[in-house]
Amino acid sequence: MKKRTISLVLGSGGARGLAHIGVIRWLEEHDCEIKAISGCSMGALVGGIHAIGKLDEYERWARAITKRDMLALLDVSFGLDGLIKGDRLIETLRNLVGEARIEDLPINFTAVAANISRRKEVWFTQGPVFDAVKASIALPIFFKPVVIDGEDIIDGGILNPVPIAPTFSDRNDFTIAVNLCAPPVKGVEISADKVSGEEEGSGLSNAVADFIGSLTDKISMKRKEFRAYDILYKSFDAMQGTIARQKIAAYPPDAVLDIPINLGSLMDFDKAAPMIRYGYDLAGEKLPKILGSR
């Protein structure tokens, strides 16, 4: 049986992007060949690693990571353009899965970021994969922007959280988009796993407050003072959700897998197993009828 060829669009949405792994697994198990990936932010990270051919290694690592492990990956910056430099995370991923150039990948890969000065999307279609990923995940305020030719490049979700456009010239059988900022669905929330000695609350505010607190006694920021970050990123999620709906309506793919925004928060990377399972199950629920239509 000839495999159906897929252009896969992997959206932006923080830790909910772990669901992308489940979608990819389902497609691989059901006679589908992913020939092209367009990814934004976490979608660029997962998509790039899959294109390199190292998703197994990344999935094992993601399933094992704890909140304390996450904190160890955050390299603080005391600049005004972002709390975290991001170098430690990117180098960890490079060491884990290796590096490759986009133009040498067996899968047609595009990482989407945003040039905030020009208010334009930036499509990375050549160069080192993790240089492109670092730019695409540079969430404002949290990560420092990537500077290219003197201009700030940030998370592509600002302009296009579900980047369908890079797939327009593909000649594959189906285009499938995964939207991580879909409206909330009652009952899908993943219960928080407590880490010893840690208070319950937002994954983002807990992670940032704990990290800052571990750096130096000179900083006296309290957890509750990071409520501003929660509000900021909930606003960012809401903005992405609105843009995503507009993009999908304007350029409808063959299938959209909607991951509800309340499945998990930005920093719930310690909940990989249920996130991956959700993506796998959703693909199994939505895709068979669509893929069997041709």
Side-chain angles (χ1 to χ4, degrees), residues 5-9 164 167 170 172-177 253-256:
T5 57
I6 306 294
S7 293
L8 188 59
V9 180
I164 300 167
T167 68
D170 295 345
N172 295 315
D173 296 327
F174 296 91
T175 298
I176 298 170
D254 296 296
V256 179

Side-chain angles (χ1 to χ4, degrees), residues 68-191:
R68 295 194 185 280
D69 294 331
M70 272 195 317
L71 301 183
L73 293 174
L74 303 181
D75 44 356
V76 76
S77 164
F78 290 102
L80 298 177
D81 53 355
L83 277 174
I84 308 301
K85 290 184 285 188
D87 296 339
R88 189 177 300 163
L89 171 62
I90 293 298
E91 285 309 308
T92 297
L93 293 173
R94 278 195 176 107
N95 291 333
L96 179 70
V97 306
E99 180 62 281
R101 293 187 66 83
I102 296 173
E103 59 268 34
D104 297 332
L105 296 173
I107 292 174
N108 184 16
F109 175 66
T110 303
V112 177
N115 183 320
I116 197 61
S117 301
R118 298 178 182 269
R119 303 181 185 183
K120 293 176 61 176
E121 293 178 34
V122 178
W123 294 4
F124 290 92
T125 58
Q126 57 184 1
V129 169
F130 282 110
D131 285 0
V133 168
K134 185 178 180 182
S136 188
I137 68 170
L139 194 64
I141 307 300
F142 192 67
F143 283 112
K144 289 172 66 70
V146 171
V147 179
I148 299 177
D149 296 330
E151 298 186 322
D152 289 334
I153 310 299
I154 62 172
D155 192 312
I158 288 286
L159 297 178
N160 194 353
V162 188
I164 300 167
T167 68
F168 284 173
S169 62
D170 295 345
R171 297 185 178 275
N172 295 315
D173 296 327
F174 296 91
T175 298
I176 298 170
V178 185
N179 173 24
L180 300 181
C181 297
V185 174
K186 187 175 180 180
V188 305
E189 297 89 345
I190 296 170
S191 298

